[in-house]
Amino acid sequence: MLDVLENIGMADPIPVVLERSLERGCYLNEHDRLCFPRALVEDVIAKAPKVAHFKARDPQHDMQVGGQRVYTYGGGEAVNMLDVGASSYRPSTLLDLYDAARLTDRMKNIHAFSRLVVATEIEDQLTCDINSAYVSAAGTSKHTQLTFADASHVQPTLEMLYLIAGGEKKFHERPFCNGGGCPVISPLRYGRDNSEVCIESIRMGSPVWVIVAPQAGATAPAALAGAVVQSVAEALAGLLMIDMVEPGFPVVVGPWPFVSDLRTGAFSGGSGEEAVVSAGAAQMVNFYGLPSSVGAGMTDSKLPDYQAGYEKALAVALAAQSGCNNVSESSGMLGSLMALSLESLVIDNDLLGAVMRTVRGIEVNEETLSYDVIEQVVHGEGHYLRSPQTLELMRSGYEYPALADRSTADEWEAAGSPDSRLRAGQRVRSILSSHYPEYIDPAIDAKIRDQFPILIPREAMTGASSRW
């Protein structure tokens, strides 16, 4: 990775990055590519924050991204929705994003929120970015990752967030949103627009999320080891870009190597190759001691079916077990990131709970080895059902799914033999017909609607809506 940055370098750095990089000892090679000396890269990595602190509206949802901690969240910016019970997609809307936010608000294993879908009906990009931030803040008290079509959209959105927080000072005391983007066009070229967005996102005072997504066999080597090399080098180039402008600013380093189906060249989000290359990229970022992120859970299935389940489980489990600090794309996505399913989102919440339980592993000590408990039961009742240890661990040691069916076959048949998608749809309707949080004070909301082009009607954000 460091050889790539030192000898091959990055093309097309934006002016401020080029200027600051040359001041710090970088140079342009004979191909006019910006090269980062190994010693400089090692120095930046050594001094970079090893934990990225993400604040939430509700402090119980704060995240300390780094070290051995693993978090999961959504993401994807799909342009389609699969409605509850439907078998075909439709274009996604602002109201869909709001529903996704308040559903995520009730999913305990989805730790943060991001723009799961694009409000495709909003043509003006600034209006879209402001409205997306608004419905995210209105729908969940969890930390929210924002994306921006242009760097000039960051400050107007911040002005709205200041109102929601109760003032600029209060927002910066607890910045419940962050920004970032994909500043690299693979292979090894900075993209102007997203580079500017990442730099401008520093103003939010929350860690910047840098994501790169080269596709093995298309914009990265088909050899998976080579894809890891390029993706991690590009992600480190994103870290360097931020550090050149604001030394020591916290960055989440996100190499997201994607994989092609080499028969067609199409992206294959659910492949075994995708699962293993993402885990490998996470391990490399962890090797450098930096906060890491990869995409996992990007099934190719078009429905929340068995294919979706095994593809998501494999990828998310490998990423989490590799020590990835933040596993993105892990909930709700279908069709190789082309669509969001709210049914899938609540099914994935169960999946994530099971995966996170595997991350906890098995605690081994004198107490958990249970010699005394075994001896007492063997000489006593002959079972552990009423053992004090069993009662204690029932609450603390076991994960219980909110949706998965553990009933008997007779009970299942008596309930109409529902499958997981049907149960998920029922849960989606139950939550969204009742959970209308008021995370924005009504008086503040009125000010926001006076000052900003908020398009979602107030009645759509209350129980008066008949949508669910």
Side-chain angles (χ1 to χ4, degrees):
M1 291 78 172
L2 304 194
D3 286 344
V4 169
L5 292 170
E6 183 172 46
N7 300 320
I8 300 176
M10 296 292 296
D12 301 336
I14 60 176
V16 64
V17 173
L18 177 60
E19 177 184 350
R20 302 288 179 83
S21 299
L22 295 177
E23 290 172 355
R24 289 176 61 176
C26 301
Y27 60 93
L28 293 172
N29 66 14
E30 66 273 22
H31 302 291
D32 206 32
R33 301 179 68 89
L34 180 63
C35 295
F36 298 90
R38 175 181 289 265
L40 172 65
V41 178
E42 291 174 339
D43 186 56
V44 169
I45 291 173
K47 294 179 180 178
K50 301 305 184 285
V51 177
H53 301 276
F54 288 93
K55 304 293 186 181
R57 306 275 290 286
D58 184 339
Q60 71 170 321
H61 298 307
D62 287 357
M63 302 185 298
Q64 317 305 320
V65 176
Q68 300 299 309
R69 290 172 291 273
V70 176
Y71 297 96
T72 62
Y73 89 118
E77 299 196 52
V79 295
N80 295 296
M81 284 292 298
L82 178 68
D83 285 327
V84 172
S87 58
S88 59
Y89 294 169
R90 62 167 175 80
S92 53
T93 68
L94 183 64
L95 189 54
D96 293 323
L97 182 60
Y98 173 62
D99 287 343
R102 58 195 183 97
L103 188 61
T104 298
D105 198 50
R106 294 287 299 275
M107 299 291 107
K108 73 170 186 174
N109 299 313
I110 304 174
H111 302 120
F113 186 66
S114 184
R115 192 185 298 198
L116 290 168
V117 292
V118 176
T120 60
E121 79 276 29
I122 304 177
E123 294 184 3
D124 180 76
Q125 291 182 328
L126 173 58
T127 301
C128 185
D129 285 348
I130 289 174
N131 275 269
S132 297
Y134 170 81
V135 297
S136 299
T140 182
S141 63
K142 298 179 180 181
H143 184 88
T144 297
Q145 159 113 10
L146 300 179
T147 56
F148 300 94
D150 189 87
S152 65
H153 299 179
V154 174
Q155 187 58 38
T157 303
L158 261 177
E159 297 295 336
M160 180 185 67
L161 296 175
Y162 293 159
L163 282 174
I164 293 172
E168 181 176 353
K169 182 174 182 293
K170 286 189 176 180
F171 177 83
H172 285 293
E173 288 172 350
R174 178 164 285 279
F176 52 86
C177 297
N178 77 292
C182 305
V184 172
I185 300 172
S186 300
L188 297 165
R189 178 161 65 92
Y190 284 116
R192 180 179 62 83
D193 290 347
N194 267 288
S195 292
E196 292 174 348
V197 166
C198 286
I199 296 298
E200 189 68 8
S201 293
I202 293 171
R203 299 169 63 91
M204 302 183 75
S206 197
V208 173
W209 219 294
V210 169
I211 295 167
V212 301
Q215 187 169 321
T219 56
L224 298 186
V228 171
V229 168
Q230 182 184 310
S231 65
V232 175
E234 290 175 338
L236 290 174
L239 167 68
L240 290 163
M241 178 189 72
I242 298 295
D243 198 82
M244 293 302 106
V245 176
E246 189 70 32
F249 196 83
V251 175
V252 174
V253 179
W256 291 17
F258 286 2
V259 168
S260 303
D261 184 320
L262 296 181
R263 298 169 301 182
T264 63
F267 165 50
S268 175
S271 63
E273 292 83 8
E274 178 64 48
V276 73
V277 78
S278 294
Q283 287 178 316
M284 284 308 308
V285 178
N286 290 353
F287 168 79
Y288 291 119
L290 299 167
S292 60
S293 169
V294 298
M298 303 175 290
T299 179
D300 297 317
S301 179
K302 313 308 180 287
L303 296 170
D305 56 11
Y306 184 81
Q307 178 187 342
Y310 81 73
E311 290 181 349
K312 286 169 178 273
L314 176 64
V316 174
L318 261 64
Q321 291 291 346
S322 74
C324 179
N325 299 133
N326 199 288
V327 184
S328 180
E329 316 293 1
S330 62
S331 52
M333 291 293 107
L334 294 175
S336 307
L337 300 182
M338 289 304 294
L340 171 69
S341 161
L342 299 182
E343 296 157 314
S344 181
L345 192 146
V346 300
I347 295 171
D348 294 343
N349 180 67
D350 271 11
L351 182 156
L352 297 176
V355 169
M356 293 299 292
R357 181 61 188 87
T358 72
V359 171
R360 285 172 55 193
I362 299 174
E363 183 180 3
V364 179
N365 55 42
E366 285 297 322
E367 181 180 353
T368 62
L369 288 172
S370 307
Y371 180 88
D372 292 339
V373 176
I374 295 170
E375 183 179 43
Q376 291 167 9
V377 167
V378 166
H379 296 299
E381 292 186 273
H383 64 77
Y384 298 88
L385 293 174
R386 283 198 289 266
S387 167
Q389 183 193 62
T390 300
L391 296 175
E392 177 186 349
L393 292 179
M394 182 177 71
R395 301 181 182 89
S396 62
Y398 286 68
E399 173 71 18
Y400 300 103
L403 185 70
D405 180 19
R406 292 184 175 179
S407 64
T408 67
D410 288 343
E411 291 169 337
W412 170 70
E413 289 178 3
S417 307
D419 62 14
S420 59
R421 186 180 181 189
L422 179 60
R423 293 194 301 275
Q426 292 169 343
R427 186 155 193 246
V428 169
R429 293 184 185 280
S430 174
I431 292 173
L432 294 184
S433 63
S434 59
H435 182 55
Y436 289 92
E438 196 170 90
Y439 292 134
I440 302 176
D441 180 89
I444 297 298
D445 189 74
K447 290 183 180 180
I448 291 171
R449 289 175 179 273
D450 283 343
Q451 297 179 32
F452 298 92
I454 303 302
L455 301 181
I456 186 170
R458 275 298 309 163
E459 58 268 22
M461 302 172 68
T462 69
S465 170
S466 59
R467 179 175 170 86
W468 296 103

